[in-house]
């Protein structure tokens, strides 16, 4: 965690604003409703439903627990429904912060389901052919919606759903077990993967496709994320990584500099799906279901990375 030695009158740093967001999740309210609230809104623009591409319904909530079960209805005829156990939004506690500090990770995987994950899952559902008979890994998966969607709908050979947070990996394992009947012959497994690992036993250069969403926000993780992407992409032979991420100032650009430094190529596509673009346009034109929507912070670009 970086520190900010500026005076109280200075503009808060991005990292300090992120930690205030997480503390607000613990306290269920902002302790200091001052001008920094605007900054926090710029850092975190999570909407209650996001792009709402995959309809989601609350199944049940144990009021003695922070968890709830949600049913995701994949919007393609014949696709199974997926049941995911996940945290209720803004339901963190001090134990979460202790685990983050111990493992040098952020807590965004348990704070909520992020909008780009919905976009990634929808895109993968619409492009099933690129995963058929392939080995696939999802990085920074959170509760695993995209990875589970790939496993349930694309006839992939293997899907590894990974995250660096051991708490999140427990949720992934639970969600894999809950939906195991939907995967057919596809092998599906969870994995705790910290992006700074230099060697990944039996996995280095073996994946045909890497997928990730909303993983390029934190600049302090850019170098490790780029390196692990290069490490996991299969060689020899064709392979690619599919990332969805908003620009968020220069954050995405800085990550792509690291991608180039690792000898990889990339392309960026802004309009990659008609339905997603139409919903983006609606939000830009004042759709009130996503207050504070801004293209730079909210609309995920499609980044394809190859050797």
């Amino acid at each position: 965690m970086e520190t900010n030695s500026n005076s109280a009158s200075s503009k808060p740093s991005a990292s300090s604003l992120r930690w205030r967001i997480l503390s607000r999740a613990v306290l269920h309210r902002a302790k200091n409703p001052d001008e920094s609230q605007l900054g926090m809104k710029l850092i975190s623009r999570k909407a209650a439903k996001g792009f709402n591409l995959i309809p989601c319904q609350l199944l049940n909530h144990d009021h003695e627990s922070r968890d709830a079960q949600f049913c995701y209805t994949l919007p393609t005829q014949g696709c199974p429904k997926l049941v995911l156990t996940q945290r209720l939004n803004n339901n963190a506690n001090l134990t979460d912060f202790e685990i983050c500090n111990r493992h040098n990770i952020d807590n965004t995987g348990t704070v909520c389901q992020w909008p780009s994950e919905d976009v990634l899952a929808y895109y993968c559902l619409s492009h099933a052919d690129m995963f058929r008979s392939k080995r696939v890994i999802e990085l920074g998966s959170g509760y695993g919606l995209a990875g589970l969607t790939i496993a349930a709908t694309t006839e992939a050979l293997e899907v590894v759903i990974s995250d660096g947070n051991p708490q999140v990996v427990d949720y992934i394992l639970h969600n894999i077990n809950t939906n195991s009947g939907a995967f057919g012959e596809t092998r599906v497994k969870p994995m705790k993967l910290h992006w700074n690992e230099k060697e990944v036993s039996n996995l280095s250069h073996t994946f045909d496709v890497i997928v990730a969403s909303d993983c390029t926000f934190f600049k302090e993780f850019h170098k490790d994320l780029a390196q692990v992407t290069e490490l996991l992409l299969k060689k020899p032979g064709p392979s690619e990584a599919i990332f969805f991420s908003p620009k968020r100032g220069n954050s995405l650009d800085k990550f792509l500099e690291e991608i180039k430094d690792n000898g990889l190529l990339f392309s960026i596509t802004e309009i990659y799906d008609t339905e997603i673009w139409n919903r983006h346009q609606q939000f830009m034109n004042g759709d009130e279901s996503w207050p504070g929507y801004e293209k730079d912070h909210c609309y995920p670009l499609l980044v394809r990375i190859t050797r």
Side-chain angles (χ1 to χ4, degrees), residues 102-123:
R102 188 183 315 140
H103 294 275
N104 189 28
I105 54 176
D106 67 82
N107 196 43
T108 54
T110 57
V111 169
C112 60
Q113 183 89 44
W114 294 92
S116 293
E117 175 83 357
D118 182 51
V119 171
L120 172 60
Y122 184 85
Y123 182 86

Side-chain angles (χ1 to χ4, degrees), residues 129 226 255:
D129 286 347
F255 169 69

Side-chain angles (χ1 to χ4, degrees), residues 176-247:
I176 290 173
N177 291 337
T178 299
N179 297 281
S180 59
F183 304 143
E185 298 300 316
T186 300
R187 300 191 302 269
V188 189
K189 61 183 181 182
M191 181 180 181
K192 180 180 174 294
L193 177 63
H194 201 295
W195 296 339
N196 67 3
E197 294 183 32
K198 303 306 179 186
E199 293 293 335
V200 183
S201 177
N202 300 322
L203 295 181
S204 296
H205 304 304
T206 60
F207 287 99
D208 300 288
V209 185
I210 298 171
V211 297
S213 61
D214 261 326
C215 286
T216 67
F217 181 30
F218 296 105
K219 295 178 183 178
E220 54 266 42
F221 300 141
H222 282 173
K223 184 178 294 293
D224 290 339
L225 178 56
Q227 289 177 349
V228 80
T229 299
E230 194 284 327
L231 178 66
L232 294 171
L233 282 175
K234 184 178 72 174
K235 67 176 183 181
S239 58
E240 71 173 325
I242 299 168
F243 280 41
F244 280 92
S245 179
K247 285 186 66 66

